[in-house]
Amino acid sequence: EHNAAIIKEAGVKKVIFFCPEGYRTFKLDYPNYVKLDCEVVHISELLAQRLETDGLHFKEVKKKVTYQDPCRLGRHLGIYDAPRKVLQAIPGIELVEMEHNKEESICCGTSCFTNCDSYSNMIRTERLSEAKATGAEVLITSCPKCQTHFRCAMTDKGEEKRPVPQIEVMDLVNLVAMSIGG
């Protein structure tokens, strides 16, 4: 109620989310309790819309990338195409899909910033192995938690000290900023 009131008082017409979890909460949970008088969108959706309406212009970025579907953006909200549309619009980007993608995507290993255990680490290692197997230089995602968990797995290999594939991890928004000279 507090957040909805502040948004209404400020006259906000649109809230743009960077984090899929916050977006999911506002889009699916909030309507069960409060009326939001604004549109809510994820940044990947906004960027995809802007491609169609404003014609975002990118400079060439020569990179082979693969995309991690965040659970809350994908499975919870069904948003799979918008991030890919943005990636495919950047000249020089070669998008290669991992074996498990979209609805079949493997999680980054844990649903929050805590509870990282050996099972979570195994899941992250499996996913990083899939990303590396594509031949991509960069693993792109639209979720700060995915980024944190993958980077953590590559530096802290857990008690098992298993080998973890190394790959650059980058947020979609950072790639877009880089491609427009930001």
Side-chain angles (χ1 to χ4, degrees):
E1 291 172 355
H2 176 76
N3 289 341
I6 288 173
I7 289 168
K8 185 175 184 170
E9 288 170 20
V12 172
K13 301 291 183 221
K14 183 183 290 190
V15 179
I16 302 164
F17 290 86
F18 177 75
C19 174
E21 190 163 353
Y23 178 46
R24 183 220 178 274
T25 299
F26 270 70
K27 187 150 182 111
L28 298 183
D29 299 331
Y30 267 51
N32 295 322
Y33 304 101
V34 296
K35 180 176 180 354
L36 287 174
D37 295 322
C38 64
E39 179 184 4
V40 294
V41 297
H42 186 262
I43 188 71
S44 65
E45 293 176 300
L46 178 71
L47 291 169
Q49 290 169 1
R50 296 282 307 267
L51 285 170
E52 293 175 11
T53 58
D54 301 335
L56 286 175
H57 302 287
F58 302 113
K59 65 181 182 182
E60 185 176 56
V61 176
K62 288 193 140 312
K63 288 195 181 289
K64 187 174 186 178
V65 305
T66 192
Y67 181 73
Q68 164 69 15
D69 290 284
C71 294
R72 283 165 185 76
L73 194 61
R75 282 191 207 92
H76 291 218
L77 294 165
I79 298 171
Y80 299 106
D81 295 334
R84 286 169 173 81
K85 186 175 188 177
V86 173
L87 287 169
Q88 292 167 337
I90 301 172
I93 291 292
E94 180 187 351
L95 174 62
V96 289
E97 294 286 0
M98 286 183 260
E99 178 182 347
H100 297 94
N101 60 73
K102 298 184 179 178
E103 295 88 354
E104 302 298 322
S105 183
I106 296 174
C107 177
C108 71
T110 187
S111 64
C112 58
F113 285 113
T114 60
N115 300 335
C116 292
D117 58 18
S118 62
Y119 297 108
S120 299
N121 208 7
M122 281 189 328
I123 294 168
R124 282 191 293 277
T125 301
E126 182 179 338
R127 191 57 169 163
L128 287 166
S129 294
E130 271 197 29
K132 194 72 174 174
T134 66
E137 305 165 62
V138 185
L139 172 59
I140 303 291
T141 188
S142 298
C143 177
K145 285 184 180 180
C146 289
Q147 291 175 66
T148 298
H149 294 306
F150 288 135
R151 287 180 182 142
C152 179
M154 289 186 286
T155 56
D156 177 11
K157 294 164 178 58
E159 293 176 14
E160 303 82 13
K161 303 295 182 208
R162 71 174 57 86
V164 179
Q166 301 294 304
I167 187 169
E168 181 182 356
V169 178
M170 181 184 286
D171 188 82
L172 175 67
V173 173
N174 290 342
L175 179 63
V176 167
M178 185 172 70
S179 69
I180 57 175

